[in-house]
Amino acid sequence: MNTSIIEGNPTKKFFIEMITRDISIEDAIIDLLDNSIDGATQINSNDLSGFVINIEIDANKLYIKDNCGGFSLDRAQRYAFRFGRPEDAPTIKNSVGRFGIGMKRALFKMGKKFSVESQKDREHFLVNVNVDEWCDKVKQVNTLDGKTVEIDDWTFESTILNNLNVNDGTIIEVTDLKEDVKALFGSDDFLNSLYACITKMLCFSLIKGMKITLNNKELVADSPELFISEKTKPYFIKGEIDGVHYKIVAGLGRIGEPKLSGWYVFCNNRLVLEGDQTSLTGWGVNSISKWHIDYAMFRGFVFLYSQETSKLPLTTTKKGLDASSNVYRKILPHMRNGMIRVMSFLKAITGLKEEANDYRKLIGDISDKMNIESIRTYDSEIIGEKSFIAPELDLQKIAEKKNTVRVAYDVNKKTAEIAKDNADVSSYKELGKTTFNYYVKMEGIDYE
């Protein structure tokens, strides 16, 4: 029986198109920064002071330079430039790199030429790639049936550099940008968006002292807050599932910015889900309502840690959760318990009607604010369903602590309409203020 070989290898161009399709430019750049942060974390996980990442972006290039330890030529040859993560790849503890495509995907996403220069332990090398030439690169191999065929050559060439830099680190440059990327990089709106993404996604690294600059502008950590006081405590639970340590903290945050409401999920200190208000985190599932403006004060935080990144419920873009993950499915009921208790209190606030918004503001005024680092390190002797302690719904105490109080009275509607027209106001609320001010003035009450 005659047999022949049928090639099933993907073409390089198809492969590049597929791996770059579902990631945004912002996320691609943050993927590159993740590598720098992982390097710095391996040197000192608790204090990142002294480590610097400088990013330069314009319509012609992306340039990233760090002093975060670099990586060896051996690592570049065996792992860093491989598509996918080999089984024998060493584990980088507490990292967020998992699938072995982050750096390559980011570079192919943005331009037709890129270079990666790195130095570690007095070994300095450069990988310089022209993507079009690399895509056309082929090699000849012998098949099992004795024929010589031409196939794509997926290898990259490296050059040893004799000069040494002062600090070990990595330099990445992307040029000959794709047209859509060129347009983005020349846009102030994009740069502002990237600034915001980095300050949120990498907030813990910034809090730990990492210095990141974007076009010479230093970034400052941006993170949501949680209210706490002597008589108000957030929902809290912690534990371990299949080698993943988890901590869940849920409670109340400020009003006025509904987009901040929802669940925040961090994997090894990297924000992977921000202000989620979907069924992925339990909204609108079973007995829990869909997100509504009445729940704008809800803030929930999930912190997941594992030395083995493969156990974390990360998607390939690191900006989402794998809902099918066994770890996440076991954690979700704890999240739902927290939601039920916090949402029950928020519903009670809605029942205050006219006083509701004033009370929401008052909670913020009389509460201390925990930043993301305080939330991450929060601990409590009360764990689980009874851990959420809500503020008191005492209207008298609310009135005493406010600088203003609500004065209400009922009057004849026809008379009120006449008075409203006479006072030249458009609402009964304005009429109430007008009549009160009139009384104060006529009685000569000094309220300054």
Side-chain angles (χ1 to χ4, degrees), residues 309-332:
T309 312
S310 61
K311 294 185 176 182
L312 296 171
L314 282 168
T315 61
T316 63
T317 62
K318 304 176 194 171
K319 200 171 184 180
L321 291 172
D322 177 6
S324 65
S325 160
N326 182 57
V327 169
Y328 183 63
R329 285 190 287 109
K330 289 182 178 180
I331 288 172
L332 191 55

Side-chain angles (χ1 to χ4, degrees), residues 19-23 28 31 83 101-110 315-318:
I19 68 169
T20 60
R21 176 174 295 180
D22 295 327
I23 189 170
D31 246 346
F83 289 95
I101 59 173
M103 181 181 72
K104 285 81 67 180
R105 174 169 57 185
L107 298 174
F108 283 120
K109 175 82 174 180
M110 290 181 279
T315 61
T316 63
T317 62
K318 304 176 194 171

